[in-house]
PDB file of all heavy atoms in Angstrom:
ATOM      1  N   LEU G  10     -75.549 -64.768  -3.176  1.00 97.00           N
ATOM      2  CA  LEU G  10     -75.554 -63.695  -4.176  1.00 97.00           C
ATOM      3  C   LEU G  10     -76.973 -63.239  -4.491  1.00 97.00           C
ATOM      4  O   LEU G  10     -77.183 -62.087  -4.885  1.00 97.00           O
ATOM      5  CB  LEU G  10     -74.850 -64.144  -5.452  1.00 97.00           C
ATOM      6  CG  LEU G  10     -73.350 -64.405  -5.331  1.00 97.00           C
ATOM      7  CD1 LEU G  10     -72.780 -64.892  -6.663  1.00 97.00           C
ATOM      8  CD2 LEU G  10     -72.606 -63.167  -4.859  1.00 97.00           C
ATOM      9  N   GLU G  21     -74.737 -40.620  -1.912  1.00 98.00           N
ATOM     10  CA  GLU G  21     -73.399 -40.919  -2.416  1.00 98.00           C
ATOM     11  C   GLU G  21     -73.363 -41.016  -3.935  1.00 98.00           C
ATOM     12  O   GLU G  21     -72.311 -40.805  -4.536  1.00 98.00           O
ATOM     13  CB  GLU G  21     -72.891 -42.240  -1.832  1.00 98.00           C
ATOM     14  CG  GLU G  21     -72.563 -42.248  -0.365  1.00 98.00           C
ATOM     15  CD  GLU G  21     -71.924 -43.569   0.040  1.00 98.00           C
ATOM     16  OE1 GLU G  21     -70.694 -43.685  -0.054  1.00 98.00           O
ATOM     17  OE2 GLU G  21     -72.677 -44.494   0.421  1.00 98.00           O
ATOM     18  N   CYS G  53     -64.268 -52.911 -18.682  1.00 98.00           N
ATOM     19  CA  CYS G  53     -64.626 -52.715 -20.082  1.00 98.00           C
ATOM     20  C   CYS G  53     -64.604 -54.036 -20.834  1.00 98.00           C
ATOM     21  O   CYS G  53     -63.731 -54.887 -20.608  1.00 98.00           O
ATOM     22  CB  CYS G  53     -63.662 -51.718 -20.723  1.00 98.00           C
ATOM     23  SG  CYS G  53     -64.033 -51.370 -22.467  1.00 98.00           S
ATOM     24  N   GLU G  66     -70.574 -39.104 -20.466  1.00 98.00           N
ATOM     25  CA  GLU G  66     -71.033 -38.160 -21.480  1.00 98.00           C
ATOM     26  C   GLU G  66     -72.544 -38.299 -21.548  1.00 98.00           C
ATOM     27  O   GLU G  66     -73.051 -39.273 -22.102  1.00 98.00           O
ATOM     28  CB  GLU G  66     -70.393 -38.431 -22.834  1.00 98.00           C
ATOM     29  CG  GLU G  66     -68.915 -38.061 -22.897  1.00 98.00           C
ATOM     30  CD  GLU G  66     -68.331 -38.189 -24.295  1.00 98.00           C
ATOM     31  OE1 GLU G  66     -69.072 -38.644 -25.210  1.00 98.00           O
ATOM     32  OE2 GLU G  66     -67.142 -37.852 -24.482  1.00 98.00           O
ATOM     33  N   LEU G 130     -86.374 -50.916   6.522  1.00 97.00           N
ATOM     34  CA  LEU G 130     -85.654 -49.931   7.327  1.00 97.00           C
ATOM     35  C   LEU G 130     -86.372 -48.583   7.233  1.00 97.00           C
ATOM     36  O   LEU G 130     -85.750 -47.527   7.126  1.00 97.00           O
ATOM     37  CB  LEU G 130     -84.200 -49.807   6.827  1.00 97.00           C
ATOM     38  CG  LEU G 130     -83.346 -51.076   6.931  1.00 97.00           C
ATOM     39  CD1 LEU G 130     -81.981 -50.862   6.281  1.00 97.00           C
ATOM     40  CD2 LEU G 130     -83.172 -51.495   8.386  1.00 97.00           C
ATOM     41  N   GLU G 277     -67.760 -57.093   1.066  1.00 98.00           N
ATOM     42  CA  GLU G 277     -66.940 -56.576  -0.016  1.00 98.00           C
ATOM     43  C   GLU G 277     -66.075 -57.710  -0.562  1.00 98.00           C
ATOM     44  O   GLU G 277     -66.180 -58.102  -1.717  1.00 98.00           O
ATOM     45  CB  GLU G 277     -66.071 -55.420   0.476  1.00 98.00           C
ATOM     46  CG  GLU G 277     -65.214 -54.788  -0.620  1.00 98.00           C
ATOM     47  CD  GLU G 277     -64.321 -53.682  -0.087  1.00 98.00           C
ATOM     48  OE1 GLU G 277     -63.847 -53.785   1.063  1.00 98.00           O
ATOM     49  OE2 GLU G 277     -64.089 -52.722  -0.851  1.00 98.00           O
ATOM     50  N   VAL G 316     -62.296 -51.257  15.969  1.00 90.00           N
ATOM     51  CA  VAL G 316     -60.991 -51.682  16.483  1.00 90.00           C
ATOM     52  C   VAL G 316     -61.046 -53.146  16.924  1.00 90.00           C
ATOM     53  O   VAL G 316     -60.159 -53.948  16.613  1.00 90.00           O
ATOM     54  CB  VAL G 316     -60.557 -50.774  17.646  1.00 90.00           C
ATOM     55  CG1 VAL G 316     -59.314 -51.339  18.337  1.00 90.00           C
ATOM     56  CG2 VAL G 316     -60.277 -49.362  17.141  1.00 90.00           C
TER      57      VAL G 316
END
Side-chain angles (χ1 to χ4, degrees):
L10 294 178
E21 290 186 88
C53 181
E66 288 187 356
L130 298 174
E277 182 182 34
V316 171

